[in-house]
Amino acid sequence: KKKKKKKPKKKKVEQSDPPRVGLSRMFPSGVYPEGEIQPYKDDNAWRTTSEEMRYNERMANEDPEITYQSIRRASEVHRQVRQRARQYIRPGMSLTQIADYIEDGTRAVVEENGLESGIGFPTGLSLNNCAAHFNPNAGDKTVLQSSDILKVDIGVQVKGRICDSAFTLSWEPTYDKLIEAVKAATDTGIREAGIDVRLGELGGYIQETMESYEVEVDGKVLPVKSIENLSGHSIGLYQIHGGKSVLLVKNEDQTKMEEGEYFAIETFGSTGRGRVVESGEISHYAKIIDAPHVPLRLTTAKSLLKSITKNFGTLPFCRRYLDRAGESKYLLALNHLVQQGIVQDYPPLCDARGAMTAQFEHTILLRPTVKEVVSRGDDY
């Protein structure tokens, strides 16, 4: 009897630590995993089985402009990088070290290629009372402490489709209830979102969940508040803030969510006053999409704008990315572009000192038949 030769089993390609394995090696077919599927409810429940809607979806997937593969690829990169980052980040590390770990990982796994694929926006590493838009500039010496609450906001883009998703880390149990509140509020926002849902009402659902929690700190009971002047947002092609806002409190906005739209559903909770102000050194910038054509007197500003357009287009960037692109002594020119209304600056957004803030965020896609939470993972 001939012995059957055993075929050597193909080993599944695993992600390394730090993440350096390109996603195309793990998904050679070019078909990437779907996110979490949530059926539409109430007036839109018919969409799940509608023949017409299923047809629309097939057409969408065949259209390279609309295809869901780009956002799914970006989301899979996000999951793999954040999974490693969550194990890696520890008190005692500098924020620069953490940012480098996440960003170098993202560049490798997404197989960075100019504006085709790469980082979607600077990694947010905002501590404690600061809720958003902090990324260490060159020379920043901030070190993560075990009492800190760290919001990690990571962006990945493929062909202009940006996956925007964030989570909160802490190393002491004091603010666990705050983190739980924000996670629940984000999940409420995702659950209640859908085609034809009004943005003002959605904010009310988010607020209701968020403010049903309280935190006990040193024997004092603090209410968890929705931060009233932060919001989720629609996402356009190469445009992180697409024009529609999902506030975290009930409001009168009658604008509806529409079929085919991408939304970042993000919520922020605070033990402070529940309002943020701009505070601290700026790191985040982005070229304004429909910026006016202003003749620039400053030669340095002209050449900096050229470099920004080439490297980032309208995607947000930070000063460390400019350093990396070989720019130097650019602050005067950069401020000039901001003053001329060509580049928008995004200062860190912070609640009062002593307050603690937390954030969770997912990107959702309002497909014709179902809602897809593209950035959902086993972790959150």
Side-chain angles (χ1 to χ4, degrees):
K1 235 179 166 178
K2 255 188 183 162
K3 264 194 187 147
K4 267 196 190 136
K5 259 196 185 152
K6 269 205 184 127
K7 265 191 191 153
K9 247 195 170 161
K10 253 194 168 166
K11 256 184 82 181
K12 208 170 167 259
V13 184
E14 297 275 316
Q15 190 49 267
S16 60
D17 184 25
R20 292 294 180 268
V21 179
L23 207 60
S24 65
R25 287 182 46 202
M26 305 174 84
F27 296 92
S29 67
V31 176
Y32 299 95
E34 210 174 37
E36 180 206 11
I37 299 299
Q38 294 190 3
Y40 293 121
K41 41 189 220 185
D42 307 334
D43 293 350
N44 270 318
W46 60 274
R47 291 176 166 274
T48 312
T49 51
S50 155
E51 206 42 58
E52 180 194 0
M53 291 302 142
R54 285 175 24 208
Y55 174 77
N56 289 356
E57 210 154 89
R58 279 201 301 279
M59 297 325 287
N61 243 338
E62 285 166 25
D63 181 340
E65 286 293 293
I66 321 175
T67 177
Y68 307 145
Q69 291 308 323
S70 298
I71 191 67
R72 286 178 190 158
R73 180 176 147 203
S75 301
E76 182 59 27
V77 171
H78 197 290
R79 277 189 287 272
Q80 296 200 8
V81 170
R82 79 186 189 221
Q83 198 182 4
R84 293 285 185 262
R86 287 167 76 95
Q87 295 160 355
Y88 172 81
I89 299 171
R90 288 286 170 268
M93 292 178 175
S94 72
L95 293 188
T96 305
Q97 189 185 346
I98 295 169
D100 284 340
Y101 181 93
I102 291 170
E103 289 161 2
D104 291 343
T106 300
R107 291 185 178 108
V109 182
V110 80
E111 294 155 308
E112 184 182 43
N113 173 21
L115 291 175
E116 269 285 289
S117 59
I119 288 173
F121 52 80
T123 309
L125 294 172
S126 309
L127 291 175
N128 305 333
N129 64 313
C130 274
H133 295 170
F134 184 90
N135 181 289
N137 286 326
D140 186 296
K141 295 277 186 280
T142 313
V143 170
L144 185 61
Q145 308 298 319
S146 61
S147 58
D148 284 341
I149 290 196
L150 175 67
K151 277 73 61 188
V152 184
D153 198 342
I154 304 173
V156 184
Q157 70 89 12
V158 172
K159 299 192 167 109
R161 289 285 169 217
I162 306 167
C163 172
D164 180 358
S165 176
F167 55 93
T168 298
L169 295 176
S170 68
W171 290 269
E172 286 173 7
T174 319
Y175 290 97
D176 283 357
K177 277 284 176 228
L178 168 66
I179 293 171
E180 196 184 313
V182 180
K183 194 164 186 253
T186 298
D187 281 336
T188 294
I190 293 167
R191 190 180 65 245
E192 298 299 334
I195 296 168
D196 296 332
V197 170
R198 296 187 192 275
L199 299 178
E201 285 176 25
L202 188 53
Y205 294 129
I206 290 170
Q207 180 174 20
E208 188 182 1
T209 298
M210 182 83 77
E211 301 191 346
S212 68
Y213 286 80
E214 49 193 29
V215 184
E216 194 178 319
V217 184
D218 301 330
K220 255 172 83 181
V221 174
L222 307 171
V224 175
K225 292 185 185 148
S226 265
I227 297 184
E228 61 183 31
N229 57 342
L230 286 177
S231 63
H233 46 92
S234 58
I235 307 176
L237 260 184
Y238 291 103
Q239 184 181 17
I240 187 62
H241 292 164
K244 292 186 180 180
S245 293
V246 185
L247 283 168
L248 317 182
V249 293
K250 189 164 171 48
N251 61 90
E252 295 309 308
D253 187 351
Q254 296 297 313
T255 315
K256 289 178 172 179
M257 294 181 148
E258 292 170 67
E259 182 182 312
E261 284 183 323
Y262 289 77
F263 272 89
I265 301 291
E266 58 182 318
T267 75
F268 294 85
S270 171
T271 60
R273 58 182 172 216
R275 268 194 84 77
V276 289
V277 294
E278 299 179 349
S279 148
E281 190 178 67
I282 300 170
S283 57
H284 287 48
Y285 300 85
K287 199 170 92 165
I288 294 170
I289 291 231
D290 38 17
H293 198 72
V294 188
L296 290 167
R297 303 267 177 275
L298 264 166
T299 359
T300 50
K302 258 186 228 167
S303 84
L304 181 64
L305 182 57
K306 235 187 181 154
S307 169
I308 288 170
T309 303
K310 174 176 154 285
N311 288 300
F312 313 110
T314 52
L315 292 168
F317 58 92
C318 61
R319 292 194 207 168
R320 280 171 48 257
Y321 298 177
L322 288 175
D323 303 336
R324 190 170 177 270
E327 296 295 324
S328 61
K329 304 197 174 74
Y330 48 76
L331 264 182
L332 180 74
L334 184 55
N335 286 331
H336 187 68
L337 292 175
V338 172
Q339 280 146 14
Q340 294 298 316
I342 299 170
V343 168
Q344 173 78 50
D345 57 352
Y346 295 94
L349 299 169
C350 307
D351 201 324
R353 285 192 67 164
M356 282 293 184
T357 61
Q359 171 196 21
F360 277 91
E361 170 178 32
H362 275 298
T363 297
I364 66 170
L365 160 54
L366 299 177
R367 283 167 43 185
T369 62
V370 287
K371 174 168 56 183
E372 183 174 341
V373 190
V374 288
S375 52
R376 181 77 80 192
D378 298 336
D379 45 4
Y380 69 91

